[in-house]
């Protein structure tokens, strides 16, 4: 995973989904369940039945994160698949002092993060049914609230997945453009590039 420069909306890098976390997030070349929207939107066309995933993660202190993802295949996936992904992150309560350190100048505030992503992927057969290339695209809305300031941004994810007889290969770029602005300061969204290859040994192990 590669990130460019100092960025805002860092919560977009966090994915607490159990399966992907257990694999060390090596999921770009597999991308076969609805949590793929955090990794490779190109794999969305592999979802041929309705899928729903809900995740709650209690981070340290009073921070927590909730994810909700839905996969909606069209005509059982023959016309592609639509995915919806919601990411909500609560950064907890922070403290602020204004002026001197008297009790009258002390207050607390909360910071929250939110993103909504909608994507689509369609599989193309290349050189017959044994080779499939599946490109995908997702549009994403990002919102951060800090004290009394709310900042919004729009961005896009792109990815593809190749499915072959002996291996799969995938690549994706997330948060391709856009920045978040707080108090007249711009911070670019964290651009993330991923590349992955996967294979299976199940058949050879059972022969």
């Amino acid at each position: 995973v590669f990130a460019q420069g100092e960025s805002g909306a860092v919560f977009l890098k966090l994915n607490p989904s159990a399966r992907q976390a257990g694999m060390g997030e090596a999921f770009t070349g597999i991308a076969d369940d609805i949590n793929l929207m955090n990794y490779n939107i190109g794999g969305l066309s592999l979802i041929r039945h309705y899928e729903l995933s809900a995740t709650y993660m209690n981070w340290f202190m009073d921070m927590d994160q909730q994810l909700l993802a839905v996969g909606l295949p069209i005509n059982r996936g023959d016309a592609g698949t639509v995915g919806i992904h919601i990411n909500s992150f609560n950064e907890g309560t922070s403290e602020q002092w204004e002026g001197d350190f008297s009790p009258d100048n002390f207050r607390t505030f909360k910071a929250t993060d939110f993103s909504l992503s909608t994507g689509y992927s369609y599989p193309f057969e290349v050189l017959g049914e044994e080779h499939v290339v599946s490109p995908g695209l997702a549009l994403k809305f990002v919102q951060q609230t800090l004290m009394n300031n709310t900042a919004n941004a729009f961005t896009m994810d792109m990815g593809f997945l190749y499915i072959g007889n002996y291996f799969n290969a995938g690549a994706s770029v997330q948060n391709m453009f856009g920045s978040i602005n707080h108090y007249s300061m711009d911070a670019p969204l964290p651009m993330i590039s991923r590349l992955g290859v996967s294979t299976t040994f199940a058949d050879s192990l059972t022969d």
Side-chain angles (χ1 to χ4, degrees):
V1 179
F2 306 93
Q4 294 183 346
E6 296 182 0
S7 60
V10 182
F11 79 103
L12 295 173
K13 299 180 181 181
L14 301 176
N15 178 31
S17 301
R19 181 187 178 201
Q20 288 73 22
M23 297 171 62
E25 299 195 275
F27 197 64
T28 306
I30 300 174
D32 61 356
D33 70 44
I34 190 55
N35 291 308
L36 62 84
M37 293 190 70
N38 267 335
Y39 295 92
N40 183 3
I41 189 66
L44 193 58
S45 68
L46 294 182
I47 296 177
R48 296 286 175 147
H49 304 280
Y50 295 116
E51 281 195 22
L52 172 67
S53 174
T55 302
Y56 173 81
M57 178 67 180
N58 185 17
W59 294 99
F60 55 90
M61 299 178 67
D62 56 349
M63 299 182 184
D64 58 74
Q65 185 177 12
Q66 303 86 41
L67 300 178
L68 179 66
V70 181
L72 304 170
I74 304 172
N75 192 24
R76 297 188 177 181
D78 291 339
T81 303
V82 173
I84 301 172
H85 184 271
I86 298 173
N87 184 357
S88 177
F89 190 88
N90 171 29
E91 297 186 27
T93 302
S94 300
E95 301 174 348
Q96 182 186 29
W97 295 88
E98 295 180 348
D100 58 32
F101 290 94
S102 66
D104 293 337
N105 292 324
F106 173 79
R107 65 172 177 168
T108 61
F109 64 91
K110 290 188 175 182
T112 58
D113 307 313
F114 173 83
S115 71
L116 170 63
S117 179
T118 302
Y120 176 78
S121 176
Y122 183 85
F124 294 91
E125 294 181 3
V126 181
L127 301 176
E129 297 181 358
E130 297 178 350
H131 303 274
V132 176
V133 173
S134 176
L137 176 71
L139 301 179
K140 185 184 298 180
F141 169 74
V142 181
Q143 182 178 84
Q144 284 192 299
T145 300
L146 177 62
M147 298 177 64
N148 295 321
N149 181 264
T150 298
N152 301 321
F154 291 92
T155 189
M156 183 169 65
D157 300 342
M158 293 183 66
F160 86 92
L161 185 68
Y162 164 77
I163 303 106
N165 279 338
Y166 303 106
F167 71 94
N168 297 350
S172 68
V173 181
Q174 298 172 287
N175 312 314
M176 298 177 63
F177 54 81
S179 61
I180 205 89
N181 185 296
H182 279 293
Y183 302 103
S184 301
M185 293 185 295
D186 271 330
L189 298 178
M191 183 183 291
I192 304 170
S193 301
R194 302 179 188 270
L195 182 67
V197 178
S198 68
T199 188
T200 177
F201 300 98
D203 294 337
S204 60
L205 292 176
T206 56
D207 286 344

